[in-house]
Amino acid sequence: MKKAVLNQTKCDRSPFCGAKRVCPVGAIKFVKEGMFSGKIEIDHEKCIGCGKCVNYCPHSAISMK
Ligand code: SF4
């Protein structure tokens, strides 16, 4: 099964990530790294490979692999 893979170089690291909101299993999380910064992470154990998040990333940072 293909799973969502995030390209950290393309990701804008927004806490308001649209892909995070649309994931039906809560596999996409914003992880704080400081007071005002953080990064998006995808939990591959939780991901069910639905592919929804791919279309919601405005930077095409997520692909299915
Ligand atoms: S492919 Fe589906 S389950 Fe996996 S991270 Fe994206 S929205 Fe969530």
Side-chain angles (χ1 to χ4, degrees):
M1 179 177 68
K2 288 188 175 183
K3 299 218 171 178
V5 176
L6 176 65
N7 182 334
Q8 291 285 357
T9 309
K10 288 184 177 176
C11 179
D12 69 357
R13 302 176 159 232
S14 168
F16 309 109
C17 173
K20 176 167 72 89
R21 277 202 306 273
V22 81
C23 178
V25 293
I28 305 179
K29 294 226 158 29
F30 180 78
V31 181
K32 274 189 155 190
E33 288 189 326
M35 192 78 99
F36 302 109
S37 61
K39 67 175 179 182
I40 299 295
E41 281 184 359
I42 300 177
D43 184 338
H44 294 126
E45 298 292 318
K46 282 188 179 177
C47 177
I48 55 171
C50 70
K52 279 187 181 176
C53 55
V54 174
N55 296 324
Y56 278 85
C57 176
H59 308 291
S60 301
I62 304 175
S63 56
M64 303 301 292
K65 286 182 182 157

XYZ file of all heavy atoms in Angstrom:
498
model
N 0.839 -1.206 0.000
C 0.000 0.000 0.000
C 0.873 1.254 0.000
O 1.841 1.337 0.753
C -0.877 -0.001 1.247
C -1.769 1.227 1.355
S -2.869 1.177 2.785
C -1.743 1.323 4.149
N 0.507 2.194 -0.849
C 1.238 3.457 -0.863
C 0.849 4.309 0.338
O -0.301 4.268 0.787
C 0.914 4.222 -2.147
C 1.535 3.603 -3.373
C 1.343 4.506 -4.563
C 2.081 3.935 -5.773
N 1.970 4.828 -6.936
N 1.828 5.061 0.820
C 1.557 5.944 1.959
C 2.014 7.347 1.627
O 2.856 7.555 0.750
C 2.281 5.428 3.193
C 1.818 4.029 3.572
C 1.732 3.840 5.048
C 1.064 2.513 5.356
N 0.992 2.248 6.783
N 1.450 8.321 2.369
C 1.779 9.721 2.126
C 3.193 10.030 2.607
O 3.570 9.680 3.720
C 0.778 10.611 2.841
N 3.957 10.667 1.725
C 5.327 11.055 2.061
C 5.461 12.564 1.866
O 5.041 13.117 0.854
C 6.343 10.304 1.163
C 7.753 10.785 1.438
C 6.241 8.806 1.393
N 6.022 13.208 2.876
C 6.146 14.671 2.837
C 7.549 15.096 2.414
O 8.543 14.607 2.955
C 5.842 15.228 4.229
C 6.015 16.735 4.418
C 5.021 17.506 3.560
C 5.863 17.113 5.872
N 7.595 16.008 1.453
C 8.862 16.617 1.056
C 9.061 17.865 1.926
O 8.417 18.891 1.718
C 8.800 16.995 -0.433
C 10.100 17.598 -0.920
O 10.861 18.163 -0.146
N 10.347 17.498 -2.211
N 9.932 17.758 2.920
C 10.122 18.857 3.888
C 10.654 20.119 3.220
O 10.445 21.226 3.712
C 11.083 18.415 5.003
C 10.532 17.364 5.933
C 9.502 17.892 6.931
O 9.207 19.081 6.977
N 8.937 17.002 7.722
N 11.322 19.959 2.089
C 11.874 21.121 1.392
C 10.766 21.989 0.799
O 10.855 23.214 0.781
C 12.819 20.655 0.258
O 13.742 19.722 0.805
C 13.583 21.819 -0.326
N 9.695 21.348 0.333
C 8.583 22.094 -0.268
C 7.590 22.608 0.777
O 6.893 23.579 0.554
C 7.835 21.198 -1.257
C 8.588 20.920 -2.547
C 7.680 20.109 -3.473
C 8.335 19.852 -4.813
N 7.486 18.981 -5.650
N 7.503 21.910 1.908
C 6.518 22.241 2.952
C 6.786 23.615 3.552
O 7.931 23.967 3.827
C 6.600 21.180 4.057
S 5.467 21.456 5.422
N 5.689 24.418 3.730
C 5.854 25.754 4.319
C 5.725 25.730 5.846
O 5.726 26.764 6.503
C 4.878 26.747 3.700
C 3.432 26.473 4.088
O 3.168 25.471 4.796
O 2.555 27.266 3.687
N 5.570 24.539 6.423
C 5.556 24.336 7.880
C 4.482 25.154 8.587
O 4.695 25.665 9.693
C 6.924 24.675 8.468
C 8.034 23.854 7.861
C 9.383 24.248 8.353
N 10.329 23.139 8.148
C 11.118 22.640 9.096
N 11.110 23.156 10.294
N 11.910 21.646 8.849
N 3.324 25.268 7.958
C 2.252 26.056 8.552
C 1.491 25.244 9.599
O 1.104 24.099 9.347
C 1.272 26.506 7.472
O 0.108 27.023 8.076
N 1.226 25.850 10.771
C 0.407 25.159 11.772
C -1.043 25.013 11.305
O -1.817 24.271 11.887
C 0.511 26.056 13.013
C 1.010 27.360 12.526
C 1.738 27.137 11.237
N -1.396 25.755 10.228
C -2.769 25.697 9.702
C -2.853 24.805 8.465
O -3.748 24.963 7.631
C -3.262 27.109 9.380
C -3.076 28.050 10.511
C -2.120 29.055 10.455
C -3.835 27.922 11.666
C -1.930 29.919 11.522
C -3.645 28.778 12.743
C -2.693 29.780 12.672
N -1.932 23.904 8.337
C -1.835 22.971 7.199
C -3.198 22.374 6.821
O -3.847 21.736 7.646
C -0.867 21.859 7.582
S -0.778 20.510 6.385
N -3.612 22.613 5.573
C -4.891 22.098 5.098
C -4.900 20.588 5.002
O -5.917 19.939 5.239
N -3.775 20.005 4.665
C -3.667 18.546 4.558
C -3.867 17.902 5.926
O -4.483 16.844 6.053
C -2.302 18.165 3.980
N -3.374 18.557 6.947
C -3.528 18.057 8.326
C -5.026 18.000 8.698
O -5.486 17.037 9.291
C -2.771 19.007 9.277
C -2.914 18.666 10.741
C -1.912 19.425 11.568
C -2.191 20.893 11.708
N -3.032 21.241 12.847
N -5.745 19.027 8.303
C -7.174 19.087 8.629
C -7.976 18.001 7.921
O -8.959 17.492 8.446
C -7.747 20.458 8.250
C -7.505 21.518 9.291
C -8.514 22.649 9.153
N -8.532 23.208 7.806
C -7.733 24.182 7.406
N -6.872 24.697 8.227
N -7.809 24.632 6.182
N -7.574 17.660 6.697
C -8.383 16.755 5.888
C -8.097 15.271 6.172
O -8.918 14.408 5.853
C -8.182 17.076 4.389
C -6.901 16.451 3.847
C -9.369 16.643 3.574
N -6.992 14.956 6.800
C -6.646 13.544 7.052
C -7.684 12.891 7.974
O -7.893 13.350 9.087
C -5.254 13.426 7.676
S -4.820 11.702 8.047
N -8.334 11.814 7.516
C -9.411 11.186 8.289
C -8.935 10.431 9.534
O -9.742 10.100 10.394
C -10.056 10.222 7.280
C -8.972 9.912 6.312
C -8.130 11.160 6.210
N -7.645 10.145 9.607
C -7.146 9.366 10.746
C -6.159 10.144 11.619
O -5.528 9.582 12.516
C -6.497 8.036 10.276
C -7.540 7.121 9.675
C -5.377 8.296 9.281
N -6.022 11.438 11.358
C -5.140 12.257 12.186
C -3.675 11.886 12.087
O -2.928 11.986 13.063
N -3.271 11.446 10.880
C -1.880 11.005 10.709
C -0.913 12.170 10.505
O 0.292 11.991 10.623
C -1.780 10.040 9.526
N -1.464 13.363 10.185
C -0.601 14.510 9.904
C -0.618 15.453 11.101
O -1.678 15.889 11.534
C -1.058 15.235 8.619
C -1.112 14.237 7.462
C -0.121 16.395 8.298
C -1.580 14.824 6.146
N 0.559 15.725 11.608
C 0.645 16.541 12.824
C 1.619 17.700 12.644
O 2.615 17.580 11.942
C 1.133 15.678 13.986
C 0.175 14.588 14.390
C 0.034 14.561 15.895
C -1.234 13.922 16.430
N -1.879 12.905 15.682
N 1.311 18.796 13.323
C 2.258 19.897 13.413
C 3.029 19.708 14.709
O 2.452 19.652 15.794
C 1.525 21.248 13.438
C 2.458 22.422 13.537
C 3.150 22.885 12.428
C 2.655 23.074 14.745
C 4.020 23.956 12.513
C 3.526 24.149 14.847
C 4.209 24.581 13.727
N 4.343 19.573 14.578
C 5.192 19.335 15.746
C 5.955 20.616 16.061
O 6.728 21.101 15.240
C 6.190 18.186 15.457
C 7.058 17.920 16.675
C 5.445 16.922 15.056
N 5.722 21.164 17.233
C 6.405 22.399 17.631
C 7.898 22.170 17.828
O 8.308 21.181 18.425
C 5.815 22.921 18.949
C 4.602 23.798 18.772
C 4.241 24.435 20.093
C 3.490 25.723 19.888
N 3.351 26.469 21.141
N 8.683 23.102 17.356
C 10.138 23.000 17.534
C 10.686 24.172 18.320
O 11.848 24.222 18.639
C 10.824 22.906 16.165
C 10.597 21.573 15.486
C 11.436 21.383 14.248
O 11.687 22.385 13.544
O 11.839 20.248 13.977
N 9.858 25.135 18.566
C 10.278 26.309 19.320
C 9.040 27.105 19.661
O 7.926 26.606 19.531
N 9.228 28.341 20.078
C 8.085 29.178 20.457
C 7.153 29.420 19.271
O 5.943 29.313 19.376
C 8.599 30.514 20.995
C 7.526 31.330 21.669
S 7.173 30.754 23.320
C 8.140 31.912 24.265
N 7.738 29.745 18.108
C 6.922 30.112 16.954
C 7.168 29.246 15.722
O 6.698 29.560 14.644
C 7.179 31.579 16.581
C 6.882 32.525 17.699
C 7.906 33.175 18.364
C 5.576 32.739 18.119
C 7.643 34.044 19.407
C 5.296 33.596 19.170
C 6.337 34.247 19.820
N 7.916 28.192 15.891
C 8.211 27.392 14.700
C 7.923 25.911 14.951
O 7.708 25.476 16.083
C 9.674 27.573 14.297
O 10.503 27.134 15.338
N 7.895 25.176 13.877
C 7.637 23.753 13.975
C 7.674 23.139 12.602
O 8.087 23.778 11.647
N 7.261 21.885 12.520
C 7.229 21.238 11.208
C 6.086 20.243 11.152
O 5.557 19.816 12.182
C 8.557 20.557 10.913
C 8.851 19.375 11.806
C 10.125 18.674 11.365
C 10.407 17.510 12.290
N 11.626 16.796 11.993
N 5.726 19.911 9.924
C 4.663 18.932 9.700
C 5.292 17.543 9.634
O 6.346 17.359 9.026
C 3.922 19.233 8.373
C 3.276 20.623 8.398
C 2.886 18.150 8.076
C 2.168 20.813 9.408
N 4.635 16.586 10.287
C 5.095 15.203 10.211
C 3.924 14.281 9.867
O 2.799 14.527 10.314
C 5.703 14.761 11.549
C 7.124 15.257 11.745
C 7.763 14.740 13.030
O 7.109 13.994 13.796
O 8.916 15.098 13.260
N 4.199 13.260 9.094
C 3.169 12.267 8.763
C 3.515 10.955 9.451
O 4.616 10.425 9.295
C 3.067 12.054 7.240
C 2.712 13.369 6.546
C 2.010 10.987 6.922
C 2.663 13.293 5.029
N 2.569 10.459 10.246
C 2.754 9.190 10.971
C 2.392 8.042 10.024
O 1.212 7.810 9.721
C 1.847 9.177 12.209
C 2.058 7.930 13.064
O 2.554 6.916 12.537
O 1.724 7.976 14.256
N 3.395 7.332 9.544
C 3.156 6.282 8.568
C 2.483 5.052 9.166
O 1.946 4.222 8.444
C 4.471 5.918 7.863
C 4.991 7.048 7.026
N 6.257 7.557 7.147
C 4.378 7.809 6.089
C 6.392 8.572 6.310
N 5.276 8.750 5.657
N 2.509 4.923 10.468
C 1.787 3.826 11.122
C 0.280 4.078 11.043
O -0.507 3.155 10.879
C 2.199 3.716 12.595
C 3.670 3.393 12.820
C 4.015 1.981 12.374
O 3.221 1.077 12.648
O 5.059 1.809 11.725
N -0.098 5.365 11.147
C -1.525 5.713 11.125
C -2.077 5.848 9.711
O -3.254 5.596 9.472
C -1.748 7.045 11.855
C -1.728 6.953 13.358
C -2.163 8.287 13.929
C -2.201 8.278 15.439
N -2.550 9.605 15.967
N -1.261 6.298 8.784
C -1.709 6.573 7.412
C -2.352 5.346 6.784
O -1.795 4.256 6.819
C -0.520 7.032 6.567
S -0.935 7.321 4.830
N -3.565 5.544 6.209
C -4.269 4.430 5.559
C -4.172 4.533 4.039
O -4.856 3.805 3.302
C -5.748 4.367 6.001
C -6.452 5.703 5.741
C -5.845 3.975 7.467
C -7.964 5.677 5.949
N -3.374 5.485 3.573
C -3.109 5.584 2.134
C -4.260 6.082 1.288
O -4.336 5.774 0.103
N -5.160 6.869 1.892
C -6.343 7.327 1.144
C -6.004 8.362 0.063
O -6.731 8.528 -0.898
C -7.382 7.901 2.098
S -6.906 9.477 2.842
N -4.916 9.076 0.246
C -4.480 10.043 -0.762
C -5.135 11.411 -0.693
O -4.853 12.284 -1.510
N -6.035 11.629 0.263
C -6.751 12.911 0.346
C -5.815 14.097 0.527
O -6.007 15.158 -0.045
C -7.740 12.893 1.527
C -9.030 12.194 1.230
C -9.985 12.379 2.392
C -11.300 11.655 2.116
N -12.213 11.722 3.260
N -4.829 13.916 1.376
C -3.945 15.029 1.722
C -3.172 15.576 0.523
O -2.874 16.764 0.461
C -2.956 14.590 2.794
S -1.997 13.130 2.340
N -2.909 14.730 -0.461
C -2.117 15.135 -1.626
C -2.738 16.359 -2.302
O -2.039 17.304 -2.667
C -1.995 13.961 -2.627
C -1.307 14.407 -3.907
C -1.239 12.807 -1.994
N -4.055 16.356 -2.447
C -4.744 17.449 -3.145
C -4.916 18.694 -2.298
O -5.266 19.743 -2.826
C -6.118 16.967 -3.624
C -6.005 15.864 -4.641
O -5.084 15.870 -5.457
N -6.909 14.906 -4.571
N -4.702 18.585 -1.001
C -4.915 19.735 -0.131
C -3.646 20.511 0.177
O -3.702 21.577 0.784
C -5.597 19.301 1.166
C -7.088 19.162 0.994
C -7.632 17.989 0.502
C -7.940 20.218 1.285
C -8.988 17.852 0.301
C -9.303 20.100 1.099
C -9.824 18.917 0.605
O -11.175 18.800 0.402
N -2.502 19.977 -0.206
C -1.261 20.713 0.032
C -1.059 21.723 -1.093
O -0.934 21.341 -2.257
C -0.070 19.760 0.102
S 1.479 20.681 0.266
N -1.016 23.026 -0.786
C -0.879 24.053 -1.821
C 0.511 24.093 -2.454
O 0.722 24.754 -3.453
C -1.174 25.357 -1.065
C -0.847 25.053 0.349
C -1.145 23.597 0.556
N 1.459 23.382 -1.869
C 2.840 23.401 -2.383
C 3.237 22.067 -3.019
O 4.411 21.862 -3.318
C 3.803 23.734 -1.239
C 3.422 24.966 -0.505
N 3.503 26.217 -1.063
C 2.890 25.136 0.732
C 3.070 27.117 -0.187
N 2.688 26.476 0.904
N 2.268 21.178 -3.173
C 2.536 19.834 -3.735
C 3.696 19.148 -2.995
O 4.547 18.517 -3.608
C 2.868 19.921 -5.225
O 1.800 20.515 -5.919
N 3.681 19.281 -1.668
C 4.759 18.725 -0.867
C 4.509 17.272 -0.464
O 5.388 16.613 0.058
C 4.969 19.571 0.384
N 3.274 16.783 -0.707
C 2.945 15.411 -0.311
C 2.737 14.562 -1.551
O 2.047 14.955 -2.484
C 1.681 15.362 0.574
C 1.854 16.257 1.801
C 1.376 13.917 0.997
C 0.597 16.364 2.654
N 3.330 13.375 -1.554
C 3.112 12.423 -2.638
C 2.901 11.039 -2.048
O 3.217 10.788 -0.875
C 4.303 12.445 -3.602
O 5.495 12.182 -2.895
N 2.351 10.135 -2.843
C 2.094 8.772 -2.384
C 3.210 7.875 -2.896
O 3.463 7.814 -4.103
C 0.727 8.285 -2.904
C -0.439 9.175 -2.512
S -0.656 9.357 -0.731
C -1.157 7.698 -0.265
N 3.834 7.163 -1.955
C 4.953 6.281 -2.357
C 4.837 4.928 -1.678
O 4.331 4.835 -0.582
C 6.281 6.934 -2.003
C 6.608 8.071 -2.961
C 7.950 8.684 -2.629
C 8.219 9.853 -3.586
N 9.177 10.809 -3.046
S -2.967 9.517 2.634
Fe -4.908 9.790 3.801
S -4.525 8.756 5.768
Fe -2.503 9.098 4.809
S -1.766 11.038 5.679
Fe -2.852 11.501 3.719
S -4.991 11.988 4.317
Fe -3.994 10.931 6.070
